[in-house]
PDB file of all heavy atoms in Angstrom:
ATOM      1  N   LEU A 122      81.709 153.107 111.440  1.00  0.00           N
ATOM      2  CA  LEU A 122      82.968 152.399 111.215  1.00  0.00           C
ATOM      3  C   LEU A 122      83.700 152.313 112.498  1.00  0.00           C
ATOM      4  O   LEU A 122      83.750 153.291 113.325  1.00  0.00           O
ATOM      5  CB  LEU A 122      83.746 153.159 110.148  1.00  0.00           C
ATOM      6  CG  LEU A 122      83.149 153.194 108.764  1.00  0.00           C
ATOM      7  CD1 LEU A 122      84.054 154.141 107.841  1.00  0.00           C
ATOM      8  CD2 LEU A 122      82.960 151.824 108.159  1.00  0.00           C
ATOM      9  N   THR A 123      84.463 151.268 112.718  1.00  0.00           N
ATOM     10  CA  THR A 123      85.335 151.143 113.894  1.00  0.00           C
ATOM     11  C   THR A 123      86.551 151.888 113.643  1.00  0.00           C
ATOM     12  O   THR A 123      86.940 152.398 112.605  1.00  0.00           O
ATOM     13  CB  THR A 123      85.540 149.697 114.160  1.00  0.00           C
ATOM     14  OG1 THR A 123      86.163 149.181 113.013  1.00  0.00           O
ATOM     15  CG2 THR A 123      84.195 148.849 114.452  1.00  0.00           C
ATOM     16  N   ASP A 124      87.336 152.032 114.690  1.00  0.00           N
ATOM     17  CA  ASP A 124      88.703 152.768 114.586  1.00  0.00           C
ATOM     18  C   ASP A 124      89.595 151.965 113.588  1.00  0.00           C
ATOM     19  O   ASP A 124      90.311 152.630 112.878  1.00  0.00           O
ATOM     20  CB  ASP A 124      89.402 152.790 116.012  1.00  0.00           C
ATOM     21  CG  ASP A 124      88.511 153.638 116.898  1.00  0.00           C
ATOM     22  OD1 ASP A 124      87.692 154.513 116.435  1.00  0.00           O
ATOM     23  OD2 ASP A 124      88.628 153.468 118.137  1.00  0.00           O
ATOM     24  N   GLU A 125      89.605 150.642 113.696  1.00  0.00           N
ATOM     25  CA  GLU A 125      90.451 149.928 112.752  1.00  0.00           C
ATOM     26  C   GLU A 125      90.099 150.075 111.325  1.00  0.00           C
ATOM     27  O   GLU A 125      90.952 150.233 110.515  1.00  0.00           O
ATOM     28  CB  GLU A 125      90.364 148.461 113.114  1.00  0.00           C
ATOM     29  CG  GLU A 125      90.916 148.018 114.532  1.00  0.00           C
ATOM     30  CD  GLU A 125      90.878 146.589 114.845  1.00  0.00           C
ATOM     31  OE1 GLU A 125      90.233 145.854 113.959  1.00  0.00           O
ATOM     32  OE2 GLU A 125      91.344 146.165 115.820  1.00  0.00           O
ATOM     33  N   THR A 126      88.758 150.174 111.051  1.00  0.00           N
ATOM     34  CA  THR A 126      88.310 150.367 109.662  1.00  0.00           C
ATOM     35  C   THR A 126      88.689 151.827 109.169  1.00  0.00           C
ATOM     36  O   THR A 126      89.140 151.993 108.060  1.00  0.00           O
ATOM     37  CB  THR A 126      86.715 150.231 109.579  1.00  0.00           C
ATOM     38  OG1 THR A 126      86.385 148.948 110.190  1.00  0.00           O
ATOM     39  CG2 THR A 126      86.261 150.352 108.124  1.00  0.00           C
ATOM     40  N   GLU A 127      88.536 152.737 110.054  1.00  0.00           N
ATOM     41  CA  GLU A 127      88.915 154.214 109.636  1.00  0.00           C
ATOM     42  C   GLU A 127      90.394 154.225 109.397  1.00  0.00           C
ATOM     43  O   GLU A 127      90.787 154.901 108.466  1.00  0.00           O
ATOM     44  CB  GLU A 127      88.427 155.177 110.838  1.00  0.00           C
ATOM     45  CG  GLU A 127      86.946 155.229 110.871  1.00  0.00           C
ATOM     46  CD  GLU A 127      86.531 156.289 112.047  1.00  0.00           C
ATOM     47  OE1 GLU A 127      87.520 156.698 112.661  1.00  0.00           O
ATOM     48  OE2 GLU A 127      85.382 156.557 112.147  1.00  0.00           O
ATOM     49  N   SER A 128      91.256 153.636 110.243  1.00  0.00           N
ATOM     50  CA  SER A 128      92.631 153.802 110.118  1.00  0.00           C
ATOM     51  C   SER A 128      93.046 153.071 108.835  1.00  0.00           C
ATOM     52  O   SER A 128      93.980 153.542 108.136  1.00  0.00           O
ATOM     53  CB  SER A 128      93.392 153.097 111.402  1.00  0.00           C
ATOM     54  OG  SER A 128      93.038 151.781 111.493  1.00  0.00           O
ATOM     55  N   SER A 129      92.507 151.957 108.582  1.00  0.00           N
ATOM     56  CA  SER A 129      92.922 151.248 107.286  1.00  0.00           C
ATOM     57  C   SER A 129      92.431 152.031 106.057  1.00  0.00           C
ATOM     58  O   SER A 129      93.213 152.088 105.102  1.00  0.00           O
ATOM     59  CB  SER A 129      92.256 149.824 107.339  1.00  0.00           C
ATOM     60  OG  SER A 129      90.801 149.900 107.290  1.00  0.00           O
ATOM     61  N   SER A 130      91.240 152.635 106.137  1.00  0.00           N
ATOM     62  CA  SER A 130      90.827 153.392 104.989  1.00  0.00           C
ATOM     63  C   SER A 130      91.673 154.600 104.809  1.00  0.00           C
ATOM     64  O   SER A 130      92.086 154.975 103.739  1.00  0.00           O
ATOM     65  CB  SER A 130      89.355 153.879 105.189  1.00  0.00           C
ATOM     66  OG  SER A 130      89.217 154.632 106.266  1.00  0.00           O
ATOM     67  N   LYS A 131      92.067 155.236 105.942  1.00  0.00           N
ATOM     68  CA  LYS A 131      93.020 156.465 105.810  1.00  0.00           C
ATOM     69  C   LYS A 131      94.361 156.087 105.233  1.00  0.00           C
ATOM     70  O   LYS A 131      95.017 156.758 104.487  1.00  0.00           O
ATOM     71  CB  LYS A 131      93.187 157.135 107.163  1.00  0.00           C
ATOM     72  CG  LYS A 131      91.882 157.839 107.670  1.00  0.00           C
ATOM     73  CD  LYS A 131      92.071 158.510 109.015  1.00  0.00           C
ATOM     74  CE  LYS A 131      90.883 159.196 109.517  1.00  0.00           C
ATOM     75  NZ  LYS A 131      91.128 159.862 110.846  1.00  0.00           N
ATOM     76  N   GLY A 132      94.775 154.879 105.749  1.00  0.00           N
ATOM     77  CA  GLY A 132      96.155 154.394 105.219  1.00  0.00           C
ATOM     78  C   GLY A 132      96.077 154.093 103.715  1.00  0.00           C
ATOM     79  O   GLY A 132      96.977 154.463 102.962  1.00  0.00           O
ATOM     80  N   LYS A 133      94.975 153.586 103.218  1.00  0.00           N
ATOM     81  CA  LYS A 133      94.860 153.370 101.792  1.00  0.00           C
ATOM     82  C   LYS A 133      94.771 154.630 101.016  1.00  0.00           C
ATOM     83  O   LYS A 133      95.375 154.747  99.984  1.00  0.00           O
ATOM     84  CB  LYS A 133      93.654 152.520 101.478  1.00  0.00           C
ATOM     85  CG  LYS A 133      93.725 151.174 102.046  1.00  0.00           C
ATOM     86  CD  LYS A 133      92.425 150.345 101.715  1.00  0.00           C
ATOM     87  CE  LYS A 133      92.421 148.923 102.251  1.00  0.00           C
ATOM     88  NZ  LYS A 133      91.250 148.142 101.890  1.00  0.00           N
ATOM     89  N   ASP A 134      94.065 155.634 101.584  1.00  0.00           N
ATOM     90  CA  ASP A 134      93.984 156.968 100.868  1.00  0.00           C
ATOM     91  C   ASP A 134      95.395 157.512 100.801  1.00  0.00           C
ATOM     92  O   ASP A 134      95.771 158.076  99.737  1.00  0.00           O
ATOM     93  CB  ASP A 134      93.062 157.884 101.678  1.00  0.00           C
ATOM     94  CG  ASP A 134      91.658 157.400 101.573  1.00  0.00           C
ATOM     95  OD1 ASP A 134      91.324 156.669 100.691  1.00  0.00           O
ATOM     96  OD2 ASP A 134      90.854 157.815 102.397  1.00  0.00           O
ATOM     97  N   LYS A 135      96.234 157.453 101.957  1.00  0.00           N
ATOM     98  CA  LYS A 135      97.527 158.051 101.880  1.00  0.00           C
ATOM     99  C   LYS A 135      98.490 157.294 100.886  1.00  0.00           C
ATOM    100  O   LYS A 135      99.218 157.937 100.097  1.00  0.00           O
ATOM    101  CB  LYS A 135      98.155 158.046 103.282  1.00  0.00           C
ATOM    102  CG  LYS A 135      97.573 158.929 104.288  1.00  0.00           C
ATOM    103  CD  LYS A 135      98.252 158.852 105.616  1.00  0.00           C
ATOM    104  CE  LYS A 135      97.647 159.800 106.695  1.00  0.00           C
ATOM    105  NZ  LYS A 135      98.254 159.679 107.929  1.00  0.00           N
ATOM    106  N   GLU A 136      98.297 156.001 100.835  1.00  0.00           N
ATOM    107  CA  GLU A 136      99.116 155.186  99.828  1.00  0.00           C
ATOM    108  C   GLU A 136      98.779 155.626  98.379  1.00  0.00           C
ATOM    109  O   GLU A 136      99.600 155.823  97.557  1.00  0.00           O
ATOM    110  CB  GLU A 136      98.904 153.779 100.006  1.00  0.00           C
ATOM    111  CG  GLU A 136      99.536 153.261 101.347  1.00  0.00           C
ATOM    112  CD  GLU A 136      99.236 151.776 101.569  1.00  0.00           C
ATOM    113  OE1 GLU A 136      98.523 151.154 100.622  1.00  0.00           O
ATOM    114  OE2 GLU A 136      99.749 151.223 102.570  1.00  0.00           O
ATOM    115  N   GLU A 137      97.447 155.857  98.184  1.00  0.00           N
ATOM    116  CA  GLU A 137      97.041 156.257  96.765  1.00  0.00           C
ATOM    117  C   GLU A 137      97.582 157.599  96.414  1.00  0.00           C
ATOM    118  O   GLU A 137      98.033 157.861  95.347  1.00  0.00           O
ATOM    119  CB  GLU A 137      95.511 156.203  96.711  1.00  0.00           C
ATOM    120  CG  GLU A 137      94.927 154.711  96.716  1.00  0.00           C
ATOM    121  CD  GLU A 137      93.423 154.775  96.691  1.00  0.00           C
ATOM    122  OE1 GLU A 137      92.841 155.898  96.747  1.00  0.00           O
ATOM    123  OE2 GLU A 137      92.804 153.773  96.719  1.00  0.00           O
ATOM    124  N   GLN A 138      97.464 158.609  97.457  1.00  0.00           N
ATOM    125  CA  GLN A 138      97.996 159.836  97.130  1.00  0.00           C
ATOM    126  C   GLN A 138      99.550 159.798  96.954  1.00  0.00           C
ATOM    127  O   GLN A 138     100.047 160.591  96.063  1.00  0.00           O
ATOM    128  CB  GLN A 138      97.685 160.817  98.412  1.00  0.00           C
ATOM    129  CG  GLN A 138      96.162 161.110  98.517  1.00  0.00           C
ATOM    130  CD  GLN A 138      95.914 161.953  99.774  1.00  0.00           C
ATOM    131  OE1 GLN A 138      96.808 162.324 100.410  1.00  0.00           O
ATOM    132  NE2 GLN A 138      94.695 162.279  99.952  1.00  0.00           N
ATOM    133  N   THR A 139     100.185 159.050  97.751  1.00  0.00           N
ATOM    134  CA  THR A 139     101.664 158.969  97.497  1.00  0.00           C
ATOM    135  C   THR A 139     102.052 158.388  96.161  1.00  0.00           C
ATOM    136  O   THR A 139     102.931 158.949  95.537  1.00  0.00           O
ATOM    137  CB  THR A 139     102.277 158.140  98.722  1.00  0.00           C
ATOM    138  OG1 THR A 139     101.938 158.643  99.905  1.00  0.00           O
ATOM    139  CG2 THR A 139     103.732 158.158  98.637  1.00  0.00           C
ATOM    140  N   SER A 140     101.329 157.374  95.777  1.00  0.00           N
ATOM    141  CA  SER A 140     101.629 156.740  94.515  1.00  0.00           C
ATOM    142  C   SER A 140     101.367 157.664  93.363  1.00  0.00           C
ATOM    143  O   SER A 140     102.006 157.782  92.348  1.00  0.00           O
ATOM    144  CB  SER A 140     100.852 155.445  94.327  1.00  0.00           C
ATOM    145  OG  SER A 140      99.390 155.793  94.369  1.00  0.00           O
ATOM    146  N   THR A 141     100.200 158.537  93.487  1.00  0.00           N
ATOM    147  CA  THR A 141      99.892 159.529  92.452  1.00  0.00           C
ATOM    148  C   THR A 141     100.806 160.591  92.434  1.00  0.00           C
ATOM    149  O   THR A 141     101.273 161.047  91.302  1.00  0.00           O
ATOM    150  CB  THR A 141      98.539 160.112  92.807  1.00  0.00           C
ATOM    151  OG1 THR A 141      97.576 159.114  92.992  1.00  0.00           O
ATOM    152  CG2 THR A 141      98.111 161.115  91.720  1.00  0.00           C
ATOM    153  N   GLN A 142     101.419 161.104  93.592  1.00  0.00           N
ATOM    154  CA  GLN A 142     102.496 162.017  93.533  1.00  0.00           C
ATOM    155  C   GLN A 142     103.777 161.523  92.946  1.00  0.00           C
ATOM    156  O   GLN A 142     104.508 162.284  92.295  1.00  0.00           O
ATOM    157  CB  GLN A 142     102.668 162.616  94.971  1.00  0.00           C
ATOM    158  CG  GLN A 142     101.570 163.402  95.530  1.00  0.00           C
ATOM    159  CD  GLN A 142     101.703 163.748  96.985  1.00  0.00           C
ATOM    160  OE1 GLN A 142     102.766 163.558  97.476  1.00  0.00           O
ATOM    161  NE2 GLN A 142     100.746 164.563  97.533  1.00  0.00           N
ATOM    162  N   ALA A 143     104.056 160.343  93.300  1.00  0.00           N
ATOM    163  CA  ALA A 143     105.316 159.734  92.744  1.00  0.00           C
ATOM    164  C   ALA A 143     105.227 159.570  91.223  1.00  0.00           C
ATOM    165  O   ALA A 143     106.191 159.709  90.553  1.00  0.00           O
ATOM    166  CB  ALA A 143     105.589 158.434  93.446  1.00  0.00           C
ATOM    167  N   GLU A 144     104.029 159.185  90.657  1.00  0.00           N
ATOM    168  CA  GLU A 144     103.834 159.016  89.311  1.00  0.00           C
ATOM    169  C   GLU A 144     103.874 160.296  88.521  1.00  0.00           C
ATOM    170  O   GLU A 144     104.073 160.373  87.309  1.00  0.00           O
ATOM    171  CB  GLU A 144     102.607 158.171  88.893  1.00  0.00           C
ATOM    172  CG  GLU A 144     102.782 156.831  89.578  1.00  0.00           C
ATOM    173  CD  GLU A 144     101.404 156.083  89.327  1.00  0.00           C
ATOM    174  OE1 GLU A 144     100.422 156.689  88.847  1.00  0.00           O
ATOM    175  OE2 GLU A 144     101.361 154.889  89.631  1.00  0.00           O
ATOM    176  N   LYS A 145     103.515 161.470  89.245  1.00  0.00           N
ATOM    177  CA  LYS A 145     103.446 162.708  88.530  1.00  0.00           C
ATOM    178  C   LYS A 145     104.773 163.223  88.053  1.00  0.00           C
ATOM    179  O   LYS A 145     105.700 163.436  88.827  1.00  0.00           O
ATOM    180  CB  LYS A 145     102.766 163.793  89.447  1.00  0.00           C
ATOM    181  CG  LYS A 145     102.520 165.067  88.760  1.00  0.00           C
ATOM    182  CD  LYS A 145     101.863 166.006  89.752  1.00  0.00           C
ATOM    183  CE  LYS A 145     101.606 167.441  89.156  1.00  0.00           C
ATOM    184  NZ  LYS A 145     100.982 168.317  90.071  1.00  0.00           N
ATOM    185  N   PRO A 146     104.947 163.388  86.719  1.00  0.00           N
ATOM    186  CA  PRO A 146     106.264 163.874  86.249  1.00  0.00           C
ATOM    187  C   PRO A 146     106.516 165.317  86.638  1.00  0.00           C
ATOM    188  O   PRO A 146     105.607 166.199  86.799  1.00  0.00           O
ATOM    189  CB  PRO A 146     106.058 163.678  84.656  1.00  0.00           C
ATOM    190  CG  PRO A 146     104.573 163.828  84.448  1.00  0.00           C
ATOM    191  CD  PRO A 146     103.884 163.238  85.689  1.00  0.00           C
ATOM    192  N   ARG A 147     107.846 165.534  86.789  1.00  0.00           N
ATOM    193  CA  ARG A 147     108.207 166.954  87.098  1.00  0.00           C
ATOM    194  C   ARG A 147     108.387 167.781  85.928  1.00  0.00           C
ATOM    195  O   ARG A 147     108.848 167.361  84.798  1.00  0.00           O
ATOM    196  CB  ARG A 147     109.678 166.860  87.849  1.00  0.00           C
ATOM    197  CG  ARG A 147     110.132 168.251  88.272  1.00  0.00           C
ATOM    198  CD  ARG A 147     111.520 168.070  88.909  1.00  0.00           C
ATOM    199  NE  ARG A 147     112.067 169.372  89.193  1.00  0.00           N
ATOM    200  CZ  ARG A 147     113.247 169.573  89.687  1.00  0.00           C
ATOM    201  NH1 ARG A 147     114.016 168.491  89.885  1.00  0.00           N
ATOM    202  NH2 ARG A 147     113.724 170.777  89.976  1.00  0.00           N
ATOM    203  N   ASP A 148     107.852 168.955  86.038  1.00  0.00           N
ATOM    204  CA  ASP A 148     107.908 169.989  84.919  1.00  0.00           C
ATOM    205  C   ASP A 148     109.300 170.568  84.868  1.00  0.00           C
ATOM    206  O   ASP A 148     109.618 171.344  85.748  1.00  0.00           O
ATOM    207  CB  ASP A 148     106.881 171.024  85.123  1.00  0.00           C
ATOM    208  CG  ASP A 148     106.784 171.928  83.937  1.00  0.00           C
ATOM    209  OD1 ASP A 148     107.471 171.670  82.896  1.00  0.00           O
ATOM    210  OD2 ASP A 148     106.082 172.888  83.940  1.00  0.00           O
TER     211      ASP A 148
END
């Protein structure tokens, strides 16, 4: 993978984690 591909994949992973954390309800 090129640097651009790796950076884009990492960015997508961070966005998915952020959305998952935002959707997680607080106890």
Side-chain angles (χ1 to χ4, degrees):
L122 297 175
T123 60
D124 295 338
E125 295 179 355
T126 307
E127 291 180 356
S128 61
S129 61
S130 61
K131 290 180 180 179
K133 291 180 179 179
D134 295 339
K135 289 182 180 179
E136 291 178 357
E137 292 177 357
Q138 293 177 0
T139 304
S140 61
T141 304
Q142 294 176 358
E144 293 174 358
K145 185 178 179 180
R147 181 183 175 183
D148 187 4

